[in-house]
Amino acid sequence: MAHLPFTRPTDFLREREFGPKIEASFDFVRAHFLPLGRCLVYIVLPLLLLQGIATGLMQARMGGVLNTWRTALKNQGNQAASMQRLTEMINGPEYWLALVASLFSFTLLVLTVYGYVVLRLEKEDPAAPVTVPEVWALVRQRFVGALLSFFGLALGVVVAAAAISFVLIMLGRLLSTNPAMAVLLVFVIYGAMAYAMVVLSLFFIVQLRERTGFFATIGRCFTLVWGKWWSTFGLIVVMSILLLLLVMVVYTGTTLISAPFAIDPGHTPTVLGRITSVVAACLNSVAFMALYPLLFLALAFQYFNLVERKEGHGLHALVNSIGRQPEPLTQPRSFPAEDEGEY
């Protein structure tokens, strides 16, 4: 089966069913593995390695990944012990460095993947490659806006949660006397939140491709996903399960690297323990960079699918391209002297 090169707008803007959208994500990686990988290595990897180093040092201080999980399960339900463990975790510069680096690296990853896709889509010459400086220029231009959009979406979630809590408190007496209404109200509230989260999963590809503002992007997402929520939700679930399985394999291997050198919490970690924790965390960061673009690409192809179904941009581009192909130049044909032709 021939695979699309993904060098023309019609390779992106076309209607796809559920399976072909997942297949297109892997096909795109296959077709652009080297140039896209080069962009990720130059733009995203340095900050991800910094995040891995900070995370590894924090895990070494906490006694390793297995000790952290074991303590969390042991303290489940014990608020005092959980708060003490949380205080121990954030009581160090590694935690805050890892947190900031995680936020920045995730923003860079989203912008790099979607920026490469948008630049590839908008290239007039199908043979012209997308270079790292082009992607980096786009990432620099949109980084602050994307970061603010992250905070805006997070603030929206916090406001929604606060509003839900206020409604539940105000209706506390009514709900206590009517359990059926309480269950229905909780179902409606969490259903609305789930609906909004699935819709907003297309936020950054819409914002980057259509160059819209924050609120215009939110409205555009709701317009596109209207009537196609279940297919978008199913795509997210399937790709998330696939990535979760792959991430579990990687994390199991990296845990085996660092677990033998873990120490009891409260003791000073050895140099070897720090090194193995940092190596394991850096490998986890590299796996994150390698695997999560598949989810972003699947959402991008869902966006292109919805745009084509509702607006037919790919069909318009195909019609407009008719007659624009240059005619091949014909060379004059020379005949030998003995070839007199027919008269």
Side-chain angles (χ1 to χ4, degrees):
M1 180 179 177
H3 299 286
L4 292 174
F6 293 101
T7 55
R8 294 177 174 84
T10 52
D11 294 341
F12 297 89
L13 292 164
R14 58 174 59 189
E15 295 183 19
R16 288 182 170 92
E17 299 300 327
F18 188 85
K21 281 179 281 196
I22 297 177
E23 183 181 356
S25 305
F26 288 93
D27 287 345
F28 185 88
V29 173
R30 184 186 297 109
H32 297 273
F33 180 79
L34 288 179
L36 177 59
R38 193 177 298 115
C39 294
L40 292 173
V41 168
Y42 281 104
I43 298 174
V44 185
L45 184 59
L47 199 55
L48 274 176
L49 291 179
L50 178 63
Q51 174 195 342
I53 292 172
T55 303
L57 292 176
M58 182 184 67
Q59 290 176 350
R61 180 168 57 86
M62 298 295 292
V65 178
L66 292 181
N67 280 332
T68 302
W69 291 349
R70 189 183 302 114
T71 305
L73 292 175
K74 180 180 178 181
N75 295 334
Q76 190 173 11
N78 189 340
Q79 288 189 346
S82 299
M83 289 300 297
Q84 181 181 0
R85 188 67 173 175
L86 178 61
T87 303
E88 293 175 358
M89 183 176 66
I90 66 177
N91 188 23
E94 309 98 337
Y95 172 80
W96 299 106
L97 179 60
L99 182 64
V100 174
S102 175
L103 176 61
F104 281 22
S105 60
F106 185 78
T107 306
L108 288 177
L109 182 63
V110 171
L111 289 178
T112 301
V113 174
Y114 287 151
Y116 183 92
V117 171
V118 170
L119 291 174
R120 181 66 272 173
L121 172 65
E122 295 177 350
K123 280 277 185 179
E124 295 184 0
D125 184 5
V130 177
T131 62
V132 176
E134 290 175 327
V135 178
W136 174 235
L138 187 147
V139 170
R140 287 202 322 268
Q141 179 185 2
R142 303 305 297 265
F143 180 79
V144 175
L147 202 60
L148 292 176
S149 296
F150 271 121
F151 284 112
L153 294 175
L155 180 62
V157 172
V158 172
V159 171
I164 291 172
S165 300
F166 177 76
V167 170
L168 292 179
I169 292 173
M170 294 298 294
L171 299 178
R173 177 176 298 181
L174 176 63
L175 298 179
S176 62
T177 58
N178 195 337
M181 182 177 292
V183 172
L184 179 61
L185 181 60
V186 171
F187 178 79
V188 170
I189 290 173
Y190 283 99
M193 292 183 65
Y195 183 88
M197 291 176 66
V198 170
V199 169
L200 295 177
S201 64
L202 302 181
F203 182 92
F204 289 100
I205 180 61
V206 171
Q207 187 181 57
L208 207 61
R209 166 82 198 296
E210 303 187 8
R211 294 165 176 83
T212 51
F214 182 78
F215 294 104
T217 303
I218 292 177
R220 176 66 167 164
C221 289
F222 276 91
T223 300
L224 287 174
V225 180
W226 180 259
K228 291 294 180 180
W229 187 88
W230 283 108
S231 62
T232 307
F233 173 74
L235 183 66
I236 294 173
V237 170
V238 171
M239 290 301 296
S240 298
I241 292 175
L242 175 62
L243 293 181
L244 179 62
L245 294 176
L246 295 175
V247 167
M248 286 178 62
V249 172
V250 175
Y251 277 36
T252 300
T254 56
T255 301
L256 293 177
I257 293 175
S258 61
F261 305 98
I263 50 91
D264 294 330
H267 293 74
T268 302
T270 62
V271 174
L272 186 58
R274 288 194 182 98
I275 292 175
T276 54
S277 294
V278 168
V279 169
C282 289
L283 290 176
N284 291 338
S285 298
V286 173
F288 175 85
M289 183 188 71
L291 295 176
Y292 272 83
L294 290 172
L295 175 60
F296 301 151
L297 290 172
L299 291 172
F301 284 110
Q302 172 67 349
Y303 161 74
F304 294 131
N305 165 66
L306 296 176
V307 169
E308 184 61 21
R309 287 181 182 273
K310 295 178 182 291
E311 300 170 1
H313 288 181
L315 180 60
H316 294 160
L318 185 62
V319 171
N320 292 333
S321 66
I322 297 176
R324 293 185 179 180
Q325 299 297 329
E327 297 182 1
L329 297 177
T330 57
Q331 299 293 334
R333 180 181 178 186
S334 60
F335 295 91
E338 63 273 10
D339 188 359
E340 298 179 356
E342 297 181 358
Y343 297 93

